[in-house]
Amino acid sequence: MTGTDWAGWQQSWDRQQEWYMPDREERFRVMLDMVEALVGPKPRVLDLACGTGSITSRLLRRFPDATSVGVDLDPALLAIAEGSFAGDERVTFVTADLKDPSWAASLPHETYDAVLTATALHWLHSGPLTALYGQLAGLVRDGGVFMNADHMIDEATPRINAAERAQRHTRMDREKAAGVLDWADWWALAAKDPVLAEPTARRFEIYGEHADGDTPSAAWHADTLRAAGFGEVRPVWASPCDTLVLAVK
């Protein structure tokens, strides 16, 4: 892996994700605001479904005394994460399948001040996600936090949903015509990279082309987290299609 431009791959991933979510940095800012407000500036964090380590990168830039454990199953995104944070003793990465009931046994700590995730758990259907929320209630210490920023669709507002989707896709089409990489384009580039080609092939063997999970409403997430054992839950940020839900143990 010597000589691979991990920073370049990180930036490329960020740009691709921002095409879908132009307010991506804003949700990260609010997420870290709430970490600081509730557990302080030196948290032990579990970066859940960490991907390339987007949350961990912003966490450590803002809180140099924080530590992070990133967990994911995607071999290509983990390769970028591990290459990007190589030599940083504050960061550990774990390969695990969140749908495996024993996944948490691979973690280096029994509890965390904060469990954070963004744009990832929509890969899960509601049943496995409910089970995962139950496990997370045991991993977050008393007084600690869990935050999930993701697509959360309120089916009770179909006209609003349709208008938002139309406007969003108009913007995306305009930017795509100007040369922005989408999800498929980005993975096609990764498949051609000498270092990432093999883990990218394994990634598609694991996941297929894309998620087949669910995008329930923020209210569903809040109710499910309360039932799992979190004491207070509510949205702390929202865009027209995404929401950041905060749960306090």
Side-chain angles (χ1 to χ4, degrees):
M1 295 187 182
T2 302
T4 301
D5 182 10
W6 297 120
W9 278 111
Q10 285 279 9
Q11 292 167 9
S12 177
W13 177 258
D14 283 344
R15 299 296 85 76
Q16 177 256 126
Q17 290 286 285
E18 287 165 0
W19 180 61
Y20 297 95
M21 300 166 289
D23 47 20
R24 186 168 177 254
E25 291 301 325
E26 179 67 8
R27 75 191 64 192
F28 287 144
R29 181 190 66 77
V30 175
M31 180 180 282
L32 296 181
D33 282 350
M34 294 297 96
V35 167
E36 185 173 23
L38 286 157
V39 300
K42 300 180 181 181
R44 174 194 289 168
V45 169
L46 178 61
D47 186 350
L48 192 71
C50 64
T52 65
S54 296
I55 290 174
T56 292
S57 174
R58 288 151 181 82
L59 172 79
L60 297 179
R61 193 157 58 233
R62 178 159 169 177
F63 306 125
D65 293 324
T67 59
S68 179
V69 176
V71 59
D72 208 304
L73 186 61
D74 189 313
L77 298 185
L78 277 175
I80 296 172
E82 290 167 349
S84 299
F85 294 96
D88 192 331
E89 296 181 352
R90 299 171 296 177
V91 184
T92 304
F93 290 104
V94 173
T95 301
D97 183 353
L98 298 180
K99 291 186 285 187
D100 181 343
S102 64
W103 71 270
S106 302
L107 299 177
H109 310 291
E110 292 186 357
T111 61
Y112 294 82
D113 300 310
V115 178
L116 309 176
T117 189
T119 325
L121 298 188
H122 64 274
W123 284 76
L124 300 178
H125 288 291
S126 299
L129 183 55
T130 298
L132 178 63
Y133 279 175
Q135 291 175 301
L136 295 180
L139 288 171
V140 175
R141 68 162 173 83
D142 287 346
V145 301
F146 166 68
M147 278 181 269
N148 179 16
D150 210 343
H151 313 313
M152 300 182 187
I153 308 302
D154 188 343
E155 300 296 345
T157 59
R159 288 181 295 171
I160 295 173
N161 298 348
E164 182 280 324
R165 179 179 174 82
Q167 184 183 53
R168 172 162 44 91
H169 280 272
T170 296
R171 172 191 60 78
M172 292 171 70
D173 290 346
R174 182 174 62 250
E175 294 176 359
K176 186 72 164 62
V180 172
L181 292 179
D182 65 10
W183 172 268
D185 294 334
W186 190 90
W187 282 110
L189 284 179
K192 296 176 182 178
D193 182 87
V195 172
L196 291 177
E198 190 275 334
T200 294
R202 285 192 285 121
R203 178 241 178 257
F204 280 96
E205 290 175 2
I206 294 168
Y207 291 108
E209 287 299 319
H210 211 281
D212 62 352
D214 299 327
T215 55
S217 68
W220 180 93
H221 286 272
D223 290 343
T224 305
L225 286 163
R226 290 189 195 97
F230 288 91
E232 297 181 18
V233 190
R234 72 170 177 88
V236 290
W237 176 91
S239 74
C241 63
D242 288 11
T243 303
L244 172 60
V245 170
L246 164 64
V248 181
K249 180 73 178 295

